[in-house]
Amino acid sequence: MSTFEEHRSLLVAVAYRILGSVADAEDVVQEAWLRWSGVDEAGVGDAKAYLVRVTSRLAIDRLRWAKSRRESYIGPWLPEPISTAPDAAEHAELAESVELALLVVLETLSPLERAVFVLREAFDLPFAEIAEIIARSEPATRQLARRAREHVREKRPRFDVDREQRRRMTERFVNAAAEGDLDTLIAMFADEITMVTDGGGKARAALRTITGAQNVGRFLLSIGRPANLARFLTSVGLSQGEDISLGMAVLNNAPAIMISGAGRVVSVISLEVRDGKISTVYLMANPDKIAHLEPAASEAG
């Protein structure tokens, strides 16, 4: 195995957490490889540190460009979901750093704040090393880290929910939605629930965040109505007679619902649970952001 391939998974992990995009992360790692291929490896003292430094800098530059592009994005922007196996070798802190709710909050940080937060909190890099990566002094880097931590703590207080509880909640959610049971759905929701849908202008989705238990419940049930379902299927390139299946998968370190048709994923729904209630529903339908996912085993049709 080459030196670069030995560290590729780490580099993808760093780039994805900084960017929130699988495609952008892969592009960054490919560019890092091109740069590495022109380096005299014998002259590099610590190949891992060198590659992390190059990848992080490329990711920061890419994020600056991506943020300007996202200003013209149609509707809410969500990070791309990634598959994470339940028995992943990553330690708990690293696995938590890909959770959707955290990635959404990281979107509100500046590129430098986000990079410092990721490199310190997820990968535990020394401040001196991070300072070299972002070309800032170590005191300035510590200040960025403190500001980022405080922002994340304010926007996303920690609520410990075990995976099995989240899975049971997700299954109840699917059953209630499939049966059109509005009362059961509303009973599962926190009073201040929000629903964020990302269609990117390429699939039918709400153009604004939906708030309130009644509104979220009614919107979810409206998706299944024949006319609305037909319009959604058409928007993602499927015919009205296409068989649609539901499956469960572990995405971003949490149970998620994958909706598939014609052998591909057409939508992903993830839930954030706090204090035994669903506090946020994330619905991803932008085909560009889920094309890399494999359909989950069908559990309902």
Side-chain angles (χ1 to χ4, degrees):
M1 180 184 294
S2 70
T3 300
F4 189 88
E5 289 303 318
E6 179 183 351
H7 300 298
R8 178 182 286 273
S9 62
L10 170 63
L11 303 182
V12 172
V14 169
Y16 174 75
R17 286 161 175 80
I18 292 176
L19 289 159
S21 164
V22 175
D24 285 347
E26 290 174 347
D27 286 347
V28 160
V29 172
Q30 178 64 18
E31 188 172 348
W33 178 82
L34 290 173
R35 297 198 179 191
W36 175 253
S37 64
V39 170
D40 179 6
E41 188 172 341
V44 178
D46 186 337
K48 176 181 175 183
Y50 176 89
L51 289 169
V52 169
R53 183 165 63 249
V54 169
T55 299
S56 299
R57 287 173 176 171
L58 289 170
I60 291 168
D61 289 343
R62 184 88 171 197
L63 181 59
R64 288 180 173 132
W65 170 78
K67 275 188 170 292
S68 64
R69 183 182 58 174
R70 289 169 194 171
E71 290 176 1
S72 60
Y73 194 81
I74 299 175
W77 189 96
L78 287 174
E80 294 179 19
I82 59 168
S83 177
T84 50
D87 57 350
E90 294 180 314
H91 56 74
E93 292 81 1
L94 194 54
E96 288 175 0
S97 69
V98 297
E99 290 191 355
L100 196 56
L102 175 60
L103 293 177
V104 168
V105 172
L106 293 186
E107 278 297 307
T108 61
L109 297 175
S110 72
L112 283 185
E113 287 172 340
R114 180 168 184 163
V116 170
F117 182 90
V118 166
L119 294 172
R120 181 62 181 175
E121 299 298 320
F123 297 96
D124 199 28
L125 264 63
F127 279 113
E129 191 170 336
I130 299 173
E132 182 181 358
I133 289 172
I134 66 171
R136 295 290 189 276
S137 68
E138 187 171 335
T141 301
R142 290 179 179 274
Q143 176 71 6
L144 284 168
R146 182 189 63 77
R147 195 159 61 226
R149 279 196 305 270
E150 289 177 354
H151 182 83
V152 171
R153 191 179 301 117
E154 176 188 350
K155 296 290 184 180
R156 184 182 178 251
R158 288 186 59 87
F159 291 87
D160 293 325
V161 181
D162 65 59
R163 189 188 300 275
E164 185 56 33
Q165 182 183 358
R166 293 173 80 165
R167 181 174 179 83
R168 289 196 303 269
M169 183 72 77
T170 303
E171 290 172 344
R172 287 177 55 206
F173 173 89
V174 170
N175 291 335
E179 294 170 5
D181 189 343
L182 180 62
D183 290 339
T184 297
L185 277 177
I186 291 175
M188 296 173 65
F189 293 161
D191 292 339
E192 303 301 319
I193 187 173
T194 60
M195 181 172 182
V196 185
T197 66
D198 182 342
K202 300 184 178 184
R204 288 183 64 86
L207 296 180
R208 293 180 177 82
T209 298
I210 303 167
T211 60
Q214 286 280 348
N215 293 333
V216 171
R218 293 184 187 282
F219 179 86
L220 284 166
L221 296 189
S222 75
I223 295 174
R225 292 175 187 155
N228 290 337
L229 181 59
R231 284 193 286 267
F232 172 76
L233 292 177
T234 300
S235 75
V236 295
L238 299 180
S239 64
Q240 294 186 31
E242 197 75 55
D243 287 336
I244 299 298
S245 63
L246 301 181
M248 295 282 289
V250 179
L251 303 179
N252 294 87
N253 196 41
I257 305 152
M258 298 178 76
I259 304 169
S260 305
R264 59 187 173 87
V265 178
V266 297
S267 185
V268 172
I269 299 175
S270 301
L271 309 176
E272 184 176 350
V273 178
R274 295 182 181 180
D275 297 329
K277 296 283 189 176
I278 297 172
S279 60
T280 311
V281 179
Y282 299 108
L283 188 152
M284 170 61 73
N286 185 338
D288 294 343
K289 293 186 175 184
I290 51 181
H292 60 282
L293 297 174
E294 294 291 332
S298 176
E299 296 187 2

